[in-house]
Amino acid sequence: MPVCSCRFVRGWFSPFHRQRKMVTPLIAMQVHSQASMYLTTLEEKVEEVKAEMVRFYPESTAQEWIEEHVSPVVVPLQRITEEIRACVNEMVP
């Protein structure tokens, strides 16, 4: 089971847990690790797609496509990694 499945995150790192900084550090770090891996892979693939797109379209078109189709996936992953880091930093001295 992927650690960063939607159900896993909703169960162990829900908005309730985030607001109250009530997370299990081990599980939070597993979610962080998986989300970071997804982000890294996604960023690599986006660069490959962009390189191909600019061969056929203007750079602005490639950038528009990325912002329309990739940003909605990247932003939540970035937010989760940032929130986990903040929670764990507050909990673990």
Side-chain angles (χ1 to χ4, degrees), residues 9-75:
V9 171
R10 280 191 306 226
W12 289 97
F13 198 62
S14 69
F16 178 87
H17 296 109
R18 292 176 207 173
Q19 289 174 340
R20 290 163 180 80
K21 309 291 191 256
M22 295 172 42
V23 298
T24 304
L26 180 60
I27 292 172
M29 294 314 295
Q30 289 175 335
V31 172
H32 184 276
S33 175
Q34 192 71 45
S36 295
M37 185 183 73
Y38 290 156
L39 276 170
T40 300
T41 302
L42 187 57
E43 289 167 356
E44 291 169 359
K45 298 300 178 189
V46 166
E47 288 304 313
E48 292 173 16
V49 168
K50 185 177 180 180
E52 287 298 314
M53 286 184 77
V54 297
R55 292 177 56 208
F56 302 103
Y57 304 103
E59 173 109 14
S60 61
T61 301
Q63 189 60 40
E64 176 185 351
W65 187 88
I66 290 167
E67 288 181 24
E68 290 286 326
H69 299 283
V70 178
S71 294
V73 176
V74 169
V75 171

